[in-house]
Amino acid sequence: AQTVTQSQPEMSVQEAETVTLSCTYDTSESDYYLFWYKQPPSRQMILVIRQEAYKQQNATENRFSVNFQKAAKSFSLKISDSQLGDAAMYFCAYRSFGGATNKLIFGTGTLLAVQP
Amino acid sequence: DVKVTQSSRYLVKRTGEKVFLECVQDMDHENMFWYRQDPGLGLRLIYFSYDVKMKEKGDIPEGYSVSREKKERFSLILESASTNQTSMYLCASRDRRVWFGYTFGSGTRLTVV
């Protein structure tokens, strides 16, 4: 079975600085998808960034980028120029490739605080 | 925009009550999911459904059941609520045409007293 581990329960960053959230996963599959979700106090889960495992190039979405290291099974999220609105719980998630159901497997989350 | 609507934002129920948590999506998605969110444990899958009347157990189905009589509605049922089922419950649906197309509801915070 696949597992996702987030080893940092809480992180803090100064506004305008850069922060990296860690995520590791365990799988025997060669094809899969990885996600970072943001959950603000409103509770609405928002997709931040996504990565297909067969793509070597790291995904980037504006101030958000990932460092995907397939051999190490690591998928960290870098937030540049942090803003107050980035304060939220961040979840790393894994999904198998193919199949009809495609459930997401989540990590335990990292609570990010942004200091003004 | 796709919407996933959970009928209650907050719910307080008594031990032993039968509890229904409702989730409705408006975009004809085949896949629907129920997750439970607890501090330090993340989101854990309770049940999912890949079509009407089709369901499968997730990782923590004990004490729960589900119903999907119509494509747009996926209900989570606590047959006899217990205090250890106090939690945040999140519903999600997925567009099978889009591999990253998951949409989540805003959650129901259930307290069992």
Side-chain angles (χ1 to χ4, degrees):
Chain A
Q2 297 83 22
T3 59
V4 177
T5 301
Q6 293 179 249
S7 58
Q8 306 153 316
E10 297 183 11
M11 294 279 287
S12 183
V13 63
Q14 291 291 129
E15 203 174 0
E17 297 294 309
T18 296
V19 65
T20 298
L21 307 184
S22 300
C23 173
T24 58
Y25 56 94
D26 189 27
T27 184
S28 58
E29 299 173 334
S30 57
D31 287 328
Y32 47 87
Y33 303 107
L34 296 165
F35 306 79
W36 277 99
Y37 279 91
K38 169 185 177 181
Q39 187 183 43
S42 68
R43 305 186 207 160
Q44 187 73 47
M45 295 282 273
I46 301 164
L47 178 62
V48 174
I49 200 164
R50 59 192 189 262
Q51 175 84 43
E52 296 125 298
Y54 63 86
K55 288 190 176 179
Q56 293 186 341
Q57 186 174 4
N58 290 324
T60 300
E61 289 285 343
N62 301 312
R63 298 183 295 108
F64 299 87
S65 61
V66 297
N67 183 4
F68 172 48
Q69 298 184 9
K70 192 172 183 180
K73 296 180 183 174
S74 172
F75 184 62
S76 60
L77 174 70
K78 186 171 83 171
I79 306 174
S80 304
D81 185 26
S82 296
Q83 300 175 0
L84 295 177
D86 295 333
M89 180 73 84
Y90 286 82
F91 290 99
C92 179
Y94 172 102
R95 202 209 94 180
S96 297
F97 180 84
T101 54
N102 310 128
K103 60 184 180 180
L104 291 173
I105 300 168
F106 288 89
T108 52
T110 297
L111 183 62
L112 178 66
V114 181
Q115 308 299 332
Chain B
D1 281 350
V2 176
K3 280 192 176 175
V4 176
T5 303
Q6 294 185 233
S7 54
S8 302
R9 191 163 174 85
Y10 297 94
L11 210 53
V12 180
K13 295 293 181 180
R14 295 196 178 275
T15 301
E17 275 194 77
K18 189 169 186 175
V19 180
F20 292 85
L21 302 184
E22 305 289 347
C23 176
V24 177
Q25 50 95 0
D26 64 359
M27 278 297 291
D28 205 35
H29 287 177
E30 294 88 357
N31 297 161
M32 296 188 74
F33 308 83
W34 274 107
Y35 286 89
R36 171 176 171 160
Q37 182 178 354
D38 298 290
L41 296 176
L43 279 76
R44 294 176 292 166
L45 183 65
I46 305 172
Y47 266 97
F48 59 93
S49 170
Y50 48 93
D51 210 338
V52 176
K53 297 189 187 290
M54 307 301 282
K55 60 187 179 185
E56 282 197 26
K57 293 179 180 180
D59 300 317
I60 53 164
E62 296 79 18
Y64 304 94
S65 62
V66 290
S67 172
R68 193 163 180 204
E69 296 297 318
K70 294 185 178 181
K71 196 171 188 178
E72 66 270 19
R73 185 181 297 268
F74 190 36
S75 303
L76 180 68
I77 304 161
L78 287 66
E79 296 290 342
S80 178
S82 64
T83 55
N84 63 13
Q85 293 178 310
T86 291
S87 186
M88 170 80 79
Y89 291 88
L90 284 170
C91 176
S93 73
R94 179 185 161 244
D95 181 349
R96 283 215 298 234
R97 298 166 296 177
V98 183
W99 63 266
F100 54 87
Y102 296 86
T103 303
F104 287 81
S106 295
T108 295
R109 189 174 295 280
L110 173 67
T111 302
V112 182
V113 298

